[in-house]
Amino acid sequence: MDILTLLRANIKRKKGTFLGIVLLMILVSMFLTTVYSVKKNVAKSIDEAYEEAHAANLMMNITNERLTDELLQSVKDHPLVDHVATSDAVLMRRHFVKDKEDNQSWLIVPLNEVVTKQFTDDFSGYLDEVRPISPEGIYLVQGIATNDGCKVGDDLRFETRSGEYTLKIEGFVVEPVDGCAMVGWKTVYVAPETFEKLAADVDVVDNPDLAGRVTIVYIYKNADCELSDGEFGRTINRDTCIQDYAYASATMTQMKRYTNLFSEIVCSIMIGFAMVLAGVVLIIMAHNITVTIEMSYTELGILKAEGFTKGRIRVLFVLQYLLAEIVGAIIGTILSIPMISLFGGIFQPITAIIAKKDVDLQTSLVLLLVILILSVLVILLATRKIAKVSPVKALTGESRDVYFESFLTAPVSGKNLAMSLSYRQFSSNKRRYFVAIFITALLMFFMLTVNLMGSCMESKSALQAMGSILCEVQVRPQDRNFTEEEMDEIESIVKAEADVDQSIFFRNEYVTLNGDTIYCQFYRDPEMINMVSGRAPVYDNELVITDILAEDMGLKTGDKVEVSRREFSEEFIISGIFCSMNDTGMTMAMGDAGAKKIGVSGYVWYGASLRDSKDAEKVGNSLKEKLDPEMKIVADADFSAISDIKSITTAVDAMRYTIYAFSIIFVLVVVSMICSKSFTQERRDLGIYKAIGFTSRKLRLLFALRFLIIAVIGSAIGIVLSRLFSSKALSMILRSVGISNFISKYQADTVLVPVIILLGCFFLFAYIAARKVKKVEIRELVIE
Amino acid sequence: MSSNILTAHDLCKSFAHNGGQVHVLQHVDLEIREKDFTVVMGASGSGKSTLLYALSGMDKATSGQVMFEGKDLVKMKEKELASLRSHDFGFIFQQMHLISNLTLLENVAVPGYLNNEKGASEVKARAEKLLEQMGITDVKTHIPSQVSGGEQQRCAIARAIIHEPKLLFADEPTGALNRKNTREVLDLMTDLNRNGQSILMVTHDLRAALRASRLLYLEDGNVIGEMTLPPYDKEEEKSRETQVNAWLSSMKW
Ligand SMILES: Nc1ncnc2c1ncn2[C@@H]1O[C@H](COP(=O)(O)OP(=O)(O)OP(=O)(O)O)[C@@H](O)[C@H]1O
Ligand SMILES: [Mg+2]
C-alpha cells in the first residue's frame, strides 16, 4: 500500500475530523489575516493622510497677543527648522450642535487649499473635490459627528460675548491631525468672509485665554534632522521658548498615536484572541491524534505488521493534518478579503480617515507558516506513542482499559439519574474532556475580559476609580474665571439639593515639565485628586504625576522637577502618584498654591459628581434659577452624555460580538469533534442503554448533560483565570489610553452572558451532535 | 394450562444483503405461555437471535404481528418500545453487555431507577438483594472488566429482573461461559422460573435446553417442532436428557 492511497482512504474515513480542522483553520486564518490587515491599513491610511495634508512635525496654538514676530522669527531661523507656516484661527469654546453643547474647543479656520479631501455625506467615501462652502456654512471633521451624532444639514450655534452665530453643517472634511474622536480639540472650517467677520467680533473679547484670536503655528523639521519629533520639539523650545507661550502643542508622532490609539488597542486584543484560537486548533489536533491512536491500536498494529515503519505512519499523520490546515488556510485567506472590506471601516468613526482595504498577504503568510510549523511539531509530539504500538499486542486485541478510579467518581443516584450518569460518563473518561475544559476556560477568559473592558467603559464608578473625572453637574462662567463668591454659592446650592461625592473646581493648561509639554490639571482642592501613592500636592512647590508619566519620563515621588510656563520657571517636588486618564495618562496636577507660582490663577470649570445621578436635573434647575444667567450649566443624569467614550463603546461592542461569535463557532466545532469521537467509542454502551429502556432522546440528553458539565467546569476555571489575570491584562493593554490600574467590576451580566452562551452552546451542540444515537440499533449488540 | 403472554402471527424478518434480500424469519406463528420456561433451539444461523429480538421489540419485524397485552409491538413507536423494555421485558445477552463504566451494583440498579416505578432507595435495596441472591455481593463495587465472565452474566441476570419483568428474554446466556459458570447461571434461571418468572430463552446448548418446560425448534426461519416437558428436576436429569436428545434427533439436530 503506498502512502498516498492510505492518505486518501484515511481522509475519506475521518471526514468529520478533517472537515473540523479545515473549518477551524478557515476561521483562524480569516481572523488573523483580517485583523492584521485592518491594523496595517488603518496605520497606513493615517500615514498617508498626514503626508497628503503636509502635517507639521510640531504644531502649537498660541493666542495672538502672545505671539510676537521676534518669537516666530527665532523659530524660523533655528537651524533644525525647515520652514514654519501659520494659520489664523478663532478659538471657540462654546458651541451647540443640535442645541447640545459640545465640550471640546474648536479652532475655526477659513477654508483653505490644505483641505483636499471631503467625505460624502454618508462617510462612505471621498468626493472628487472639496465643494465650495457658503457664508452660512461650516465644515466639520468626522470625530465631531462621532461624538455629537450630528450630520450634514444640522444647525450649529456659537455663543460669544459679541453675540450668537448660527451656521449650517454643509459637509465633513478630512483633517488627519485633530479630526479623530480621541483628540480634545478640533479644527473646523468656514468661508473666508465668515471667518473675517467672526475674527473681528471675537477680537474685542476680554479674556483671551478662553476665546479669541489664535495663531496655529506649524513647524517643519529639516529633512536631514534625525531627532524624533519629541526631541525636536524640546530642542526648539529650549532654544526659543516658543512652547512656553503656547496654550496647546503637539507633535506629529503624538497626534498619529492618538488617532491610531483605539484601533491599536482593539487590534491587539483581537490578535491575542486569534492567537488563542490558533492555539486551540493545535490542542484539538494533538487531542484528536492521541484519541485516534488509542482507538486504532489494532489498525496501527496491522500497518506495522505490514511493514510500515513508525516514521511512515507519523508522516501519514503529518500529511493528513497539514493538508487539512493548508486547505483551511487558503480558504480562510480568500474569505478575509470580503471581511477586510466589511470590518475595515469599523474604526473610521474614531480615526476620521477612510481606511484602505488591502490584504496584508505577507504578514498573513508568515503567521500561517508559523502555525503550520508548530502543527508539525505538535503532530510529531502527539504521535510519539505510535512507537509503543507493537503489532502483536495490538492484534491480540489487548486494547485500552476502561478508565476508572474512585477519585472524583460520584455514585450513580436514582434521584438524579440523568445528571449522575452524565457525570459518570464524564468522570470515567476525564482525560478526553480536559481539552474541552481547557478550551472553554480560555474562551471564557476572553469573553469575560472584553466584557470587563466594555462594562467598565459604561460604569461611572469604575471610570472614576481609574482616574476619569465624570460629573453630572457642570458649571462654567462665560469666558472668565469664577469669582470667590460664585464658587461658594455654587457649592452651597449643589449641597443643598443632593449628596455630592466630589465637588471640583478645576482648570487645565499645557505647561512645560523638564522640557516636555505636559497637560497640567489645577485643582482648587487638591485633596480631591485621586491619589495612588504619596500625598496630594498641597504646598506651593508640590505636584503629582501619573505613573504612566513617571515611567515615561523616568521620574518618581520625591524627585525635583522644573516647571515652566510663559515667563515663569519654578522648581517643584513630586509629592505623589495620582491616577488620571486625561491626555491618555500623560498628565500632572497641582493645587492652588502651586498654580499661583507659575502664574495660573482662578478656575473655569466646576463639576459635581453626585451620589445619585438622578438628582442631576434637580441640581441643574436650582443652579439655573440662582446663578448669573450667563453661567453655563450642564446637568445630565445620562452617563454617556458626560463621558466622551460613545465611539469607543461601539467598537468595544463590535469586538465583543466578534469574540462571542467566534467562540460559539469554535465551541460548535470542538463539541462536534469530541462528541463524534466519544460516540464511536461508546456505541456499544449506547446499544445497551437502549436495550434496558433508555429512549434516544434520553441518551441525547445524557450526552448534552455531559458536555454541560464540561462547560460548567471550564467556565468556572475561566472565571477564576479572569479574576486573576483580566485586570492585569487590561491594565497592560489600556495603559496607552491612560489606564494603568484597571479595576474589574464583575456585574451580573458581565459574567452571566458568557456563561449562558457557553453552557447553552455546549448543551445544544452536544444534543445536536448526538442525534446519531437514533441510528444505533440494539441489534448491533448481537453481531459479535 | 396458563394463558399466552406473547403471541406472534405471520412474523417475517428480512435483511437487505448484497443488493438482495435475506429472509431470516418466514411467517412464524408462535405463542409464549405465562410462567413457562420456553427454550428455542436450532442450528447456528437458523434465526434464533433474530426471532428473539423481533419478539422482544429490540428489533422491528419486517411484517406480521407480535401481540403483548393487546398491543402490537411491530406498530409501536420508539418511546413505547423503550417503555416496554424498562417495564415489562428483561433481556439477557450472550455477551453480557454490562455498561463498562458502571459498577455491578449500578448496572443492576440503573434500569430500576429508570422506570420510576419504585423509589430510588427501594430500587437500590432490591439491587443489593439480587446481587446477594446471585452470589456476587463481594464484587458489587467492581466494574465489569474487573470481574469474571460468570460474575458478569449473573450481574446481567440481576439487571434483567430488577424491575420484575413480565417476560424475561435470554439469548444464549451461557454461550460465553465455562462449564461451572454455565451450571450456576442455569440454576439461577431455573429458580427464577420456579418462582413464577416467564422466560423465553434461545440456545443451541443441550444443557440449557434441559431446563425448559417447553421446547421449540427453529429451522430456516420457521418453528418446525415443539415439545412440552415437566418442570426441571435435577434428580431426573439423565432421563430428561435422553428424552430431549431423541426429540432433537427427530428434528435432524
Ligand atoms: N443484519 C443482517 N444482515 C444480513 N443478514 C443477517 C443480519 N443479521 C443476521 N443475518 C443473517 O440471518 C441469519 C440468522 O441470524 P441469527 O443471528 O438470527 O442466527 P442464530 O440462529 O442466532 O445463530 P447463532 O446460533 O450463531 O447465534 C444468519 O444467516 C445471518 O447471516
Ligand atoms: Mg444468535
Side-chain angles (χ1 to χ4, degrees), chain A residues 59-63 66-67 71 209 214-215 217 237 241-250 509-512 517-518 564-566:
Chain A
M59 49 230 109
M60 351 190 138
N61 302 338
I62 306 176
T63 49
R66 305 199 65 86
L67 183 65
L71 188 58
D209 269 359
V214 169
T215 302
V217 181
N237 192 45
C241 292
I242 184 165
Q243 215 157 321
D244 298 346
Y245 292 87
Y247 73 87
S249 84
E509 212 172 286
Y510 284 86
V511 301
T512 312
T517 307
I518 300 295
S564 35
R565 175 183 175 271
R566 300 184 184 167

Side-chain angles (χ1 to χ4, degrees), chain A residues 552-570:
Chain A
D552 193 73
M553 298 185 69
L555 295 171
K556 60 180 189 308
T557 304
D559 283 355
K560 287 198 170 76
V561 289
E562 169 95 9
V563 177
S564 35
R565 175 183 175 271
R566 300 184 184 167
E567 62 274 22
F568 302 93
S569 189
E570 295 289 340

Side-chain angles (χ1 to χ4, degrees), chain B:
Chain B
M1 239 320 111
S2 47
S3 58
N4 291 338
I5 185 166
L6 190 81
T7 56
H9 177 62
D10 203 17
L11 193 64
C12 294
K13 174 77 188 178
S14 34
F15 296 103
H17 187 66
N18 282 345
Q21 291 275 320
V22 190
H23 301 285
V24 180
L25 298 181
Q26 301 183 33
H27 311 286
V28 175
D29 281 295
L30 175 80
E31 289 114 37
I32 307 298
R33 290 195 290 265
E34 218 175 338
K35 301 210 188 325
D36 261 3
F37 193 148
T38 312
V39 171
V40 180
M41 291 206 69
S44 185
S46 57
K48 300 184 299 291
S49 296
T50 309
L51 178 67
L52 201 68
Y53 277 72
L55 290 178
S56 60
M58 296 273 176
D59 197 13
K60 278 245 144 110
T62 314
S63 68
Q65 280 186 334
V66 178
M67 300 299 291
F68 174 79
E69 294 187 335
K71 287 201 202 111
D72 185 359
L73 265 61
V74 181
K75 295 208 180 85
M76 281 188 179
K77 297 208 163 55
E78 198 215 339
K79 213 175 152 189
E80 295 171 280
L81 285 169
S83 145
L84 202 65
R85 282 176 214 134
S86 74
H87 289 96
D88 302 316
F89 292 170
F91 208 105
I92 304 167
F93 299 91
Q94 178 175 350
Q95 303 290 345
M96 296 81 156
H97 287 319
L98 296 176
I99 289 164
S100 51
N101 55 9
L102 298 183
T103 64
L104 297 194
L105 181 63
E106 286 164 347
N107 260 293
V108 174
V110 164
Y113 294 145
L114 179 71
N115 80 3
N116 260 332
E117 273 172 1
K118 298 201 180 86
S121 48
E122 205 179 322
V123 169
K124 197 171 173 206
R126 180 168 156 79
E128 304 251 18
K129 210 180 115 214
L130 283 173
L131 287 176
E132 198 187 323
Q133 204 178 319
M134 300 290 152
I136 46 174
T137 308
D138 293 350
V139 288
K140 66 178 182 188
T141 55
H142 289 37
I143 55 167
S145 63
Q146 296 168 335
V147 302
S148 76
E151 287 165 328
Q152 285 186 34
Q153 194 58 298
R154 277 179 271 168
C155 172
I157 294 173
R159 175 180 66 182
I161 58 171
I162 176 86
H163 54 291
E164 298 169 339
K166 295 184 176 130
L167 181 54
L168 176 63
F169 295 87
D171 185 4
E172 308 212 24
T174 57
L177 301 181
N178 63 22
R179 191 177 260 278
K180 178 171 167 283
N181 280 327
T182 298
R183 167 135 236 128
E184 283 172 10
V185 164
L186 289 174
D187 285 347
L188 283 169
M189 292 184 68
T190 314
D191 271 355
L192 288 173
N193 178 246
R194 244 182 232 132
N195 294 327
Q197 176 71 59
S198 316
I199 300 178
L200 174 58
M201 180 168 85
V202 148
T203 188
H204 55 205
D205 179 354
L206 181 63
R207 266 163 306 154
L210 291 182
R211 307 298 175 115
S213 62
R214 183 170 171 240
L215 269 166
L216 297 173
Y217 196 83
L218 194 70
E219 191 180 281
D220 293 338
N222 259 312
V223 179
I224 59 158
E226 176 177 351
M227 175 170 65
T228 319
L229 288 162
Y232 175 76
D233 184 350
K234 205 172 173 194
E235 305 303 312
E236 298 163 12
E237 190 163 277
K238 275 275 171 294
S239 66
R240 197 182 182 90
E241 195 174 337
T242 328
Q243 199 184 347
V244 170
N245 260 329
W247 179 72
L248 283 175
S249 343
S250 74
M251 298 287 136
K252 301 188 195 86
W253 165 259

